Amino acid sequence: MKLSLFSSAGIGALCAATSVLAIDPIVIKGSKFFNEKTGEQFFFKGIAYQPRTGLTTENPDPLADTVGCKRDVELFKDLGINSIRVYE
C-alpha cells in the first residue's frame, strides 16, 4: 500500500501565512516512510505542541498566536524538529 503524505518539515509555513515553502511528498512503503523525490528514509522528529503559558492572544490555538509561534519555531529549528502535533 502506497499513500502520499506531506512532510511537516516546513513548520515555519504554519506561522508565516504569506510564505510558501515547497515540501517534498512523503510516501509509505510497508512500515516505513520515504521522501518521494530523494528516496531517502524519512524519520519523524516531532513534538506535541500545546503551550498553555505565554500565549499572547485570547485564542487558545497555538498556531493563531503569531508572536508565540514565531518564537517557538526558532526553537523547533534548533532542535531539528520536522513535525508537530497541535491540539487544544
Side-chain angles (χ1 to χ4, degrees), residues 21-54:
L21 299 174
I23 301 172
D24 292 346
I26 301 296
V27 294
I28 301 171
K29 295 180 184 176
S31 63
K32 296 182 180 179
F33 296 87
F34 294 89
N35 180 308
E36 188 174 57
K37 291 186 179 180
T38 66
E40 293 179 11
Q41 188 171 354
F42 180 83
F43 296 95
F44 285 93
K45 298 174 197 143
I47 61 166
Y49 183 58
Q50 185 184 18
R52 294 225 178 242
T53 59

Side-chain angles (χ1 to χ4, degrees), residues 1 5 15 18 24 33 40 46 52 68 83:
M1 177 182 227
L5 299 174
C15 296
T18 58
D24 292 346
F33 296 87
E40 293 179 11
R52 294 225 178 242
S83 56

